[in-house]
Amino acid sequence: MSLHLDGVTLAYPPARSGRRDEPPVLRDLSLAIEPGAFVSVIGRSGSGKTSLLNLAAGFVAPSGGSVRVDGERVEGPGAERAVVFQDDALFPWASARDNVAFALRLRGLPGAERRTRAEALLASVGLAGAGDKAIWELSGGMRQRVGIARALAAEPRYLLMDEPLGALDAMTRERMHEFLLGIWQRSGAGILLITHGIEEALFLGTRVVVLAGRPGRIIADMPASYGRRFLRGEPARAIRADPAFVADRNALADMIHDEAERAA
Amino acid sequence: MSRTTATVLVSPTEAAEVPPVTAAPARRRPPLPVAAISAATLSILVGLWSLAAWAGWVSSVFLPSPLAVLEALDLAARSGFADASLLQHTLASLSRVFGALLAALLVGVPIGIAIATSRIGRGIFDPIVEVLRPLPPLAYLPLVIIWFGIGEASKILVIGLAMGPPIIIATAAGVRSASTDRIRAARSLGASPRDVLRFVVMPSAVPSILTGVRIALGAGWSTLIAAELIAAPRGLGTMIQAAAGFLATDIVIAGIVVIAAIAILFEAALRRLERRFVPWATRL
Ligand SMILES: Nc1ncnc2c1ncn2[C@@H]1O[C@H](COP(=O)(O)OP(=O)(O)OP(=O)(O)O)[C@@H](O)[C@H]1O
Ligand SMILES: [Mg+2]
């Protein structure tokens, strides 16, 4: 049981102006996300993180290799793999509540239940009472949280998130870390989190995958358990100050730095 | 950019209008709203018109005074002109325009969707639209009359043909403008292709379709009046044409005023619709 990228290669057809010998965006990349795993992916801009997520979500087909869910080949997007987008991708013609309720409607829930459940989901991302707001009345961080609530409404087995906390201030971001760990624990879903934050990746993940481009490939896959320690009650501050945490963080930072030097 | 370059880039008269880059000191008077300036322009034009009529610069046969036009309006409204009251003429014209708009929407929106979403649809309909679009409707009106007679159906058909292309083109553009990420979001929540069309693509296309309706109403309204000038028992165009035959210039101008007023009302109503139903279109 897992969401499994098996030796995938992703090459876009060469643009008319592009060089034919350009390396593919991703090459022979393998990654398995088990239910209950929390896989953080870091890497420089353009290293192929969003491309990796697009493959896992089924938005694009690999040019080589395969993507499988529980052994079955993925042919397209599906509700068991919900996505939180880098740009929120909310529906601006609907209220915050109706954006969330849309996911419930697709699951066949009756109208009244959709409403109360959507409100509850919004409350769970700290947006209680904002259900009637139009999308354009919300701040960037609020929109991202509506996007998370909408994805959770699908009750996915895998939750794929592309820099979902990018637009948040440091304080809200820390609260969202706790919130993400909470839903991870409660739902038992497998999570793929793409982020630019090394510390965030390490604090949340059960694994931190480092992507280097181009061609995009995995240059490190580091196990971690700081999120579990937080869930067991250890304060976030203490974890972040733990010498082991600091050492891991520095090792990851060095890896990305060295890779950038080599690429340049 | 320095102030001097800014001044060089605009002509001296415009330069006075360009607000300074730095915060201006408190103004003594708030600026005149555009609406007030427009109202003043209109008043001055009507004033000149009155003056021209009153002073006898132009014979009242060619240019009756505004008051005479008002009286003609009143006359046409009360006792009618050309076998029908002003209201009947107006309703005849309006029903043709809205009948044609309804038909153009019913046919045009699905065609627009087909063009934007299917290769076959584009292959079939694109050439038809491209041939029809640049044709002046009055060029094929005689043909339509030969085929379908002089009744209401012909007129609605001609107006509908004029309204179709803008609606089709706007629908196709709107459908194509639906964001890939929103479509993907819906798909990954479990939406079927039909759900995507209904819940994501069509809402995305509404602002564009409303713009298409605006253009179509303009095209349809002018085609209608022209078609009525040629042949119709009733309608504002008919009334104007009949009045021109009797040199009843006051009725002609009264008809023009009604036509202009209706066009302005259409425009205002559509703007309201846009603000009411797609407030997000201009904000996201
Ligand atoms: N549709 C596309 N067609 C062609 N090339 C693409 C396409 N999408 C992405 N790429 C290329 O693939 C590479 C990886 O892009 P991707 O969006 O996956 O990067 P990323 O790691 O998500 O970057 P960021 O951190 O900036 O979001 C880039 O070199 C980009 O130019
Ligand atoms: Mg990206």
Side-chain angles (χ1 to χ4, degrees):
Chain A
M1 276 244 304
S2 66
L3 170 54
H4 195 174
L5 285 80
D6 194 3
V8 291
T9 295
L10 179 66
Y12 290 102
R16 220 165 300 166
S17 58
R19 293 167 25 223
R20 288 203 158 267
D21 58 345
E22 207 176 28
V25 173
L26 300 172
R27 181 148 71 201
D28 196 21
L29 183 148
S30 293
L31 178 69
I33 303 160
E34 278 84 28
F38 196 134
V39 180
S40 304
V41 177
I42 53 176
R44 283 185 301 136
S45 181
S47 56
K49 303 183 296 296
T50 299
S51 305
L52 173 73
L53 180 139
N54 284 344
L55 280 170
F59 297 148
V60 295
S63 359
S66 65
V67 181
R68 291 168 192 281
V69 174
D70 306 341
E72 264 197 64
R73 220 187 166 91
V74 162
E75 305 286 355
E80 81 285 355
R81 284 162 286 136
V83 176
V84 178
F85 290 80
Q86 193 163 2
D87 310 310
D88 56 65
L90 296 171
F91 307 125
W93 46 85
S95 65
R97 183 195 306 110
D98 287 347
N99 265 273
V100 178
F102 176 65
L104 302 169
R105 174 185 195 140
L106 292 174
R107 289 174 50 206
L109 266 68
E113 198 182 337
R114 293 204 289 262
R115 216 187 135 86
T116 47
R117 282 243 223 153
E119 285 292 355
L121 280 158
L122 283 174
S124 78
V125 290
L127 291 176
D132 284 318
K133 283 240 164 40
I135 297 306
W136 38 267
E137 292 175 310
L138 302 175
S139 73
M142 291 163 96
R143 282 184 208 168
Q144 282 185 321
R145 283 182 278 162
V146 175
I148 294 174
R150 182 178 67 177
L152 290 176
E155 293 190 4
R157 280 190 294 143
Y158 302 96
L159 182 59
L160 315 175
M161 297 189 274
D162 198 350
E163 298 183 29
L165 310 182
L168 298 181
D169 61 282
M171 270 173 57
T172 315
R173 185 185 284 259
E174 282 188 15
R175 252 190 289 126
M176 287 305 289
H177 288 169
E178 296 164 18
F179 165 72
L180 285 180
L181 288 171
I183 55 168
W184 172 56
Q185 184 183 40
R186 267 177 279 129
S187 67
I191 292 184
L192 179 76
L193 174 79
I194 290 170
T195 171
H196 276 143
I198 297 175
E199 217 179 278
E200 177 170 292
L202 190 61
F203 181 74
L204 296 173
T206 53
R207 280 160 69 195
V208 181
V209 168
V210 182
L211 213 61
R214 173 172 184 172
R217 63 208 183 278
I218 293 173
I219 57 167
D221 191 339
M222 177 192 276
S225 58
Y226 303 105
R228 291 220 172 89
R229 276 165 60 181
F230 176 80
L231 288 174
R232 270 185 247 118
E234 201 171 328
R237 261 168 179 276
I239 295 172
R240 291 202 172 89
D242 181 336
F245 184 88
V246 174
D248 281 349
R249 190 192 61 200
N250 291 342
L252 289 168
D254 287 345
M255 227 175 310
I256 291 176
H257 182 78
D258 291 349
E259 192 272 328
E261 299 256 283
R262 245 176 290 125
Chain B
M1 191 166 57
S2 72
R3 290 289 296 281
T4 36
T5 31
T7 325
V8 172
L9 286 173
V10 291
S11 69
T13 41
E14 282 172 327
E17 294 282 325
V18 172
V21 180
T22 47
R27 283 173 187 273
R28 247 170 267 148
R29 266 185 310 162
L32 268 178
V34 177
I37 300 173
S38 305
T41 310
L42 275 179
S43 320
I44 290 170
L45 284 175
V46 172
L48 279 175
W49 173 13
S50 308
L51 191 65
W54 173 78
W57 294 341
V58 187
S59 150
S60 67
V61 176
F62 296 116
L63 188 66
S65 70
L67 207 63
V69 169
L70 276 181
E71 277 164 9
L73 261 180
D74 186 55
L75 176 83
R78 279 167 201 268
S79 34
F81 192 89
D83 303 325
S85 74
L86 181 62
L87 185 67
Q88 285 171 319
H89 285 304
T90 307
L91 286 180
S93 294
L94 281 178
S95 64
R96 283 174 197 136
V97 165
F98 282 105
L101 177 65
L102 196 67
L105 279 172
L106 285 177
V107 178
V109 168
I111 291 180
I113 295 172
I115 288 179
T117 57
S118 115
R119 213 166 31 84
I120 297 171
R122 194 164 74 232
I124 295 173
F125 294 114
D126 234 11
I128 300 178
V129 173
E130 286 311 312
V131 167
L132 195 59
R133 192 173 55 90
L135 275 184
L138 293 189
Y140 48 76
L141 175 61
L143 185 64
V144 172
I145 289 176
I146 292 172
W147 285 350
F148 300 101
I150 203 155
E152 284 305 295
S154 294
K155 275 181 279 290
I156 291 186
L157 183 64
V158 169
I159 302 158
L161 285 173
M163 289 178 141
I167 288 179
I168 292 171
I169 292 168
T171 305
V175 166
R176 286 199 198 99
S177 76
S179 109
T180 314
D181 269 0
R182 290 192 186 123
I183 292 171
R184 286 175 166 180
R187 298 278 285 136
S188 76
L189 293 170
S192 67
R194 276 186 60 142
D195 291 333
V196 169
L197 184 67
R198 177 169 163 208
F199 295 114
V200 182
V201 173
M202 286 321 291
S204 303
V206 169
S208 178
I209 293 176
L210 279 178
T211 304
V213 167
R214 205 140 110 196
I215 297 169
L217 271 179
W221 191 234
S222 35
T223 305
L224 162 82
I225 300 299
E228 286 176 347
L229 287 177
I230 294 175
R234 246 174 222 183
L236 290 168
T238 316
M239 186 183 88
I240 290 175
Q241 185 65 11
F246 296 115
L247 240 101
T249 318
D250 49 354
I251 299 275
V252 172
I253 297 180
I256 293 172
V257 166
V258 173
I259 289 167
I262 291 175
I264 291 170
L265 281 179
F266 279 173
E267 188 68 23
L270 275 165
R271 272 169 209 245
R272 273 193 94 96
L273 277 181
E274 278 173 357
R275 272 205 300 275
R276 171 81 183 74
F277 289 107
V278 289
W280 51 271
T282 50
R283 303 188 214 220
L284 276 184

